[in-house]
Amino acid sequence: MSVPLRAVQLNEANAFLKKYPEVLYVDLLIADMNGVVRGKRIERTSLHKVYEKGINLPASLFALDINGSTVESTGLGLDIGDSDRICYPIPDTLCIEPWQKRPTAQLLMTMHELEGEPFFADPREVLRQVVSKFDAMGLTICAAFELEFYLIDQDNVNGRPQSPRSPVSGKRPMSTQVYLIDDLDEYVDCLQDILEGAKEQGIPADAIVKESAPAQFEVNLHHVSDPIKACDYAVLLKRLVKNIAYDHEMDTTFMAKPYPGQAGNGLHVHISILDKEGNNIFASEDPEQNAALRHAIGGVLETLPAQMAFLCPNVNSYRRFGAQFYVPNSPSWGIDNRTVAVRVPTGSADAVRIEHRVAGADANPYLLMASVLAGIHHGLTNEIEPGPPVEGNSYEQNEQSLPNNLRDALRELDDSEVMARYIDPLYIDVFVACKESELAEFENSISDLEYNWYLHTV
């Protein structure tokens, strides 16, 4: 970190502490491979030291499974003595945590080698390397996420979630009621606090809509001209939603498929690209005639099978797929068509963009973004044609062809020469090792259904 940048960041810290003299603590946050936020809590008097010298955290933070245990086959644990790396603040992420009873702030961090180079296994660095390929072309990426989640009761039933009682009617929602305004009113205090908390934290959340299942909602983030910052916002929004819900005596889940027979939670991303003059290279009155848009889509579709492990990184992720839930299961595209993997929304010509609709809300936003951008860059530089757009119901026209389980998805990623040109093969090895470890543990478990079916019948 250069001296001028450090001086600017120290000014940021000074201004913040002056503005919020009541702040007692600062949470130092870093998102792991699963997008789970980890870190340290410090007293306000230590904040300047963090900006000046950073903080030490073990490299194994990026070799943790979903339970927070180090996966030793990654080589980032005991093999290197569980050694530390150094984490530095990310500019413009210091903000208040509005849910805390004791005034507390938060600050996003990113990991570096002790010599100062970015640490290869930080998902933020994985994304930065892909973005740098667009920088070299003089292109700027604009991006925004749509994040779905369920409000759930703090009390489960035999380990299974249930919808929370409405603070207004006292009833549990039972029906789909997509876009129903009355359902927003049932949980208005919580949902409004989410939007107000986002505003207080500088997160550009501009709308909440009722989604396709009981107590399921979606928060829309406004586009920003920095894809890494867009991912920062998505990570912080998840944390905000969880903690605001706790304040309202509810819980939340971003699990891809928490309820059988109900819609899963998705994480859609919208992407447009600006040239050196600030013009959207996808802009067109007729999107089919825009070569840059077609080539970008072509690259995304060609690489989609190899990206699935990043888009759908958990065993549960693949339960989300199904035609009735608008989750695409084949590499397909269309104009204003929600049955395809890549949708081109209609609207003004200068607002033409790609909407990628495959990933679940359980995906790490940085790895999702890195995957999609890798596909776009691959398509632009190789002028890959996507074929004609799908009109009508894609599920009736295209057979399921994307990996439909984690094991196959990991094999596709591990074997992909194209993805290895964009994502450091060392990182792919770490990711695959972690997910194979989780998969092995899952496959060694015995489900309740197996006992019900087989214990007394075979």
Side-chain angles (χ1 to χ4, degrees), residues 93-304:
T93 62
L94 181 60
C95 62
I96 288 291
E97 295 178 347
W99 60 84
Q100 297 282 8
K101 292 181 174 60
R102 297 177 178 83
T104 304
Q106 67 181 32
L107 177 63
L108 269 181
M109 313 289 288
T110 186
M111 186 174 284
H112 294 251
E113 297 284 1
L114 298 179
E115 295 78 16
E117 290 297 313
F119 185 56
F120 83 98
D122 185 336
R124 205 172 187 273
E125 170 60 14
V126 172
L127 172 56
R128 191 194 65 79
Q129 291 182 9
V130 179
V131 172
S132 69
K133 295 181 181 296
F134 290 85
D135 294 339
M137 298 172 68
L139 299 176
T140 299
I141 300 154
C142 291
F145 285 102
E146 298 172 349
L147 178 64
E148 294 174 346
F149 66 94
Y150 278 90
L151 290 174
I152 59 176
D153 204 299
Q154 289 185 332
D155 295 324
N156 57 47
V157 179
N158 298 322
R160 309 270 175 129
Q162 61 177 338
S163 298
R165 293 189 182 278
S166 160
V168 175
S169 67
K171 300 176 181 177
R172 298 189 195 278
M174 301 298 291
S175 56
T176 299
Q177 303 296 359
V178 65
Y179 298 121
L180 185 68
I181 292 294
D182 287 349
D183 272 18
L184 295 178
D185 290 338
E186 294 284 343
Y187 300 97
V188 63
D189 289 340
C190 177
L191 299 177
Q192 197 61 39
D193 281 353
I194 289 171
L195 287 179
E196 291 175 4
K199 183 178 181 180
E200 191 171 356
Q201 292 196 314
I203 300 170
D206 59 8
I208 292 183
V209 297
K210 173 66 178 62
E211 265 300 334
S212 303
Q216 187 190 35
F217 301 93
E218 176 185 275
V219 181
N220 298 329
L221 290 167
H222 199 266
H223 71 272
V224 293
S225 56
D226 180 344
I228 304 176
K229 179 66 72 175
C231 295
D232 292 340
Y233 288 142
V235 167
L236 295 178
L237 177 62
K238 270 183 145 181
R239 187 165 187 260
L240 174 74
V241 169
K242 289 178 186 236
N243 283 285
I244 294 295
Y246 292 150
D247 271 359
H248 289 268
E249 299 183 346
M250 289 182 283
D251 206 340
T252 54
T253 184
F254 296 89
M255 186 177 177
K257 186 76 168 180
Y259 297 108
Q262 296 288 358
N265 287 319
L267 181 60
H268 297 173
V269 59
H270 293 247
I271 295 175
S272 56
I273 298 177
L274 309 182
D275 62 19
K276 293 178 182 178
E277 286 72 44
N279 301 308
N280 178 9
I281 69 171
F282 296 156
S284 178
E285 294 289 348
D286 182 359
E288 278 191 76
Q289 302 307 312
N290 183 303
L293 177 64
R294 290 199 318 272
H295 296 156
I297 293 171
V300 169
L301 299 185
E302 184 175 283
T303 56
L304 191 51

Side-chain angles (χ1 to χ4, degrees), residues 361-373:
D362 56 339
N364 181 312
Y366 302 105
L367 300 180
L368 160 58
M369 185 73 76
S371 299
V372 176
L373 293 180

Side-chain angles (χ1 to χ4, degrees), residues 446-456:
I446 301 174
S447 67
D448 289 344
L449 191 59
E450 289 173 88
Y451 285 119
N452 291 337
W453 280 4
Y454 308 124
L455 187 63
H456 298 294

Side-chain angles (χ1 to χ4, degrees), residues 415-457:
D415 292 342
S416 173
E417 294 181 4
V418 174
M419 290 303 289
R421 293 201 292 268
Y422 290 93
I423 311 294
D424 187 339
L426 291 176
Y427 183 76
I428 291 177
D429 288 346
V430 168
F431 181 88
V432 170
C434 280
K435 291 302 168 181
E436 284 184 341
S437 175
E438 291 179 11
L439 188 56
E441 184 173 349
F442 175 83
E443 291 177 341
N444 285 329
S445 67
I446 301 174
S447 67
D448 289 344
L449 191 59
E450 289 173 88
Y451 285 119
N452 291 337
W453 280 4
Y454 308 124
L455 187 63
H456 298 294
T457 57

